[in-house]
Amino acid sequence: MKTLHRLLLWLILVPVALIVLVQLYFFLQIGWWVHHDPESTSFMRHQLSVMQEKNPNAKLKQKWVPYNRISKNLKRAIIASEDANFSDHEGIDWSALEKAYEKNLKKGRVVAGGSTITQQLAKNLFLSGDRSYLRKGQEVVITYMLEFWMDKERIYEIYLNVVEWGVGVYGAEAASRHYYGVSAAQLDAVQAARLAVMLPNPRYYDTHRGSAYLARRTDLILRRMSSAALP
């Protein structure tokens, strides 16, 4: 009986210890990134491996640029399009999640996500693109870790430098060069709004740049940009 109890205890303690160690790794890694720029993300490494299955010589396009060398037009456009309350919430915008849930329920399918910029960064840095409650729970934990360690400007700076913007295209600088042949600092309002609208499905819009929806949504974001609060 004692042997059975010990076995059950180990079966409980070992998974718990592993979970704690993983969370500690995430926590310390985020602390390191407060003053050091991430060289890559989990999402970038996964997409590179997918690309290299077809072309072993494939490489990602990405160049880190500091926050003050990214156009305010782009910063405002993304907040207007992706996370209007970014400067105010603590990582999770519960009201946006509730609205997204109601919208999805009404449509009978997933048409809105409600994820904040911090949540998107959490997913890109550490997680896969798989959808499950377990992965979503881990995303929430990492989101609060990011908000604990970093101010909003640092969170946004990292996001702007690692977010996907097309097939193998990551970060504002690479996206600006890829689509417009200019630096991230030189983006005008229309270019910025268009890049912001591409974010939910960048690989699709990379190859469907004439999309009517893309044009309509760009006009909408242009009208909203002036009211977007920057960190």
Side-chain angles (χ1 to χ4, degrees):
M1 185 63 72
K2 287 184 179 180
T3 302
L4 179 60
H5 286 165
R6 287 173 183 171
L7 178 61
L8 290 173
L9 184 62
W10 275 106
L11 288 175
I12 294 171
L13 290 179
V14 171
V16 169
L18 289 173
I19 291 170
V20 170
L21 286 173
V22 169
Q23 304 313 309
L24 182 61
Y25 163 74
F26 291 154
F27 187 74
L28 295 177
Q29 181 65 80
I30 292 169
W32 172 260
W33 283 333
V34 172
H35 300 295
H36 300 82
D37 302 332
E39 294 182 2
S40 66
T41 68
S42 175
F43 192 82
M44 290 166 64
R45 292 188 292 273
H46 173 72
Q47 290 304 315
L48 179 60
S49 68
V50 171
M51 291 168 60
Q52 288 180 339
E53 288 177 2
K54 297 180 179 179
N55 176 12
N57 297 317
K59 294 182 179 180
L60 302 181
K61 297 176 183 177
Q62 192 227 13
K63 181 181 179 182
W64 188 282
V65 290
Y67 189 75
N68 61 7
R69 285 175 49 195
I70 299 174
S71 167
K72 286 186 177 180
N73 288 319
L74 184 61
K75 295 170 188 173
R76 293 187 188 282
I78 292 173
I79 288 175
S81 181
E82 294 287 297
D83 187 2
N85 299 318
F86 174 66
S87 297
D88 299 320
H89 63 63
E90 297 180 352
I92 310 292
D93 189 341
W94 296 106
S95 62
L97 282 175
E98 185 178 355
K99 289 178 183 177
Y101 173 77
E102 291 173 354
K103 189 172 183 179
N104 294 336
L105 198 63
K106 186 177 180 180
K107 294 287 186 179
R109 57 192 174 91
V110 178
V111 295
S115 292
T116 65
I117 286 171
T118 314
Q119 284 178 270
Q120 292 177 44
L121 178 59
K123 180 179 68 175
N124 288 348
L125 286 172
F126 293 110
L127 306 175
S128 70
D130 297 337
R131 294 189 176 189
S132 69
Y133 289 115
L134 183 62
R135 200 231 65 185
K136 196 67 177 179
Q138 181 65 82
E139 177 189 302
V140 169
V141 172
I142 295 171
T143 294
Y144 282 120
M145 289 181 185
L146 284 164
E147 294 278 346
F148 172 84
W149 276 111
M150 301 178 184
D151 59 26
K152 290 289 188 177
E153 184 174 305
R154 181 56 175 166
I155 290 171
Y156 205 20
E157 179 182 35
I158 296 176
Y159 174 89
L160 288 164
N161 276 286
V162 303
V163 69
E164 184 185 33
W165 248 303
V167 181
V169 181
Y170 290 84
E173 184 69 16
S176 302
R177 301 283 181 185
H178 180 70
Y179 292 104
Y180 300 114
V182 300
S183 72
Q186 296 172 307
L187 289 168
D188 63 29
V190 175
Q191 292 168 336
R194 193 171 181 85
L195 285 178
V197 173
M198 294 177 69
L199 283 176
N201 200 356
R203 275 170 272 164
Y204 174 82
Y205 290 123
D206 192 0
T207 55
H208 295 79
R209 301 186 192 186
S211 163
Y213 171 81
L214 190 60
R216 290 195 306 272
R217 179 73 177 171
T218 297
D219 289 339
L220 175 62
I221 297 307
L222 274 168
R223 295 194 294 272
R224 292 179 177 177
M225 283 168 59
S226 61
S227 60
L230 297 181

